[in-house]
Amino acid sequence: MGAPAVDASVLAQLRGRIQALEGGPSRLSVPVLPALDGLVRLRTGGAYAVDTASLAMALAAGASAAGDWVGFVGWGDFGVEAAHQLGIDLTRTVLVPSPGEHWLEVAAALADVLKVVVLRPAARVDAKSASVLEARLRARSAVLVVHGEWPRSDATISAAETRWEGLGEGRGRLHRHRALVEVHGTGRPLSDEVALPFGDR
């Protein structure tokens, strides 16, 4: 008689526990929105670069909806309503809209206590500074989402061919944002059309 089959999720949990016992940081999965599931995989200790504000919010929304705290740094035009419509729990959200010249230090401090930190860099980040923040992410099991460029991102996620649904002939209410989402840096490139909620919650 062969060995009983073991569920893949059970194996992943066991590997994480073994890494923790060996003293290495576990790279655990962080929830994403159902629309992004199977396309985007967030893991603790990772940094992910995105090219649109809506994608940056969407990547934080899964963790927020699952009960984790998230934060936004450098978002002077943070859209409260848009965040709410995506499923971000504003009662567990930290917003630092104008951190000034200390934006990188603020992001590192938030990574100590939050699951996902979404950063809009005020300047180009050099590889050395990025490595310091990435070490903090691994030590604290946090995730960094960068709206812009990042020297060594785990993946680059972009939105193309975006369109909105809900408007009729010049009238109506926006209720869905569709986009072709492309993911690079995780082996072979992935792409799929996703629909993000907007205004229908």
Side-chain angles (χ1 to χ4, degrees):
M1 181 179 293
V6 180
D7 187 88
S9 63
V10 174
L11 286 175
Q13 290 176 358
L14 290 174
R15 289 191 187 102
R17 291 177 183 174
I18 290 170
Q19 285 183 324
L21 290 172
E22 291 175 344
S26 300
R27 298 207 63 189
L28 304 176
S29 294
V30 174
V32 296
L33 292 176
L36 298 173
D37 193 25
L39 179 63
V40 178
R41 296 185 66 187
L42 296 184
R43 291 194 176 277
T44 55
Y48 302 84
V50 301
D51 65 351
T52 67
S54 58
L55 269 181
M57 282 191 176
L59 290 183
S64 179
D68 289 313
W69 281 75
V70 301
F72 293 81
V73 179
W75 288 63
D77 58 349
F78 181 79
V80 172
E81 184 62 24
H84 173 70
Q85 298 298 344
L86 277 170
I88 293 175
D89 185 343
L90 299 174
T91 65
R92 290 194 302 270
T93 298
V94 176
L95 177 62
V96 186
S98 303
E101 63 183 17
H102 302 293
W103 54 272
L104 194 57
E105 292 87 342
V106 170
L110 290 183
D112 282 345
V113 294
L114 307 180
K115 180 60 69 178
V116 178
V117 176
V118 185
L119 170 66
R120 183 178 283 168
R124 190 174 184 86
V125 182
D126 61 84
K128 182 177 180 180
S129 298
S131 66
V132 172
L133 180 50
E134 288 162 3
R136 185 80 65 92
L137 296 171
R138 291 190 295 270
R140 299 299 186 181
S141 294
V143 171
L144 178 70
V145 175
V146 181
H147 182 197
E149 297 182 2
W150 192 255
R152 295 181 307 204
S153 59
D154 286 37
T156 300
I157 306 163
S158 59
E161 302 176 18
T162 61
R163 66 181 189 275
W164 295 91
E165 295 179 353
L167 288 179
E169 298 178 356
R171 302 178 62 185
R173 182 179 179 185
L174 294 173
H175 64 83
R176 189 170 288 110
H177 178 196
R178 288 191 176 274
L180 178 64
V181 175
E182 301 174 343
V183 182
H184 298 271
T186 57
R188 64 183 181 86
L190 300 174
S191 65
D192 196 9
E193 185 178 78
V194 303
L196 300 176
F198 186 87
D200 55 356
R201 291 178 61 84

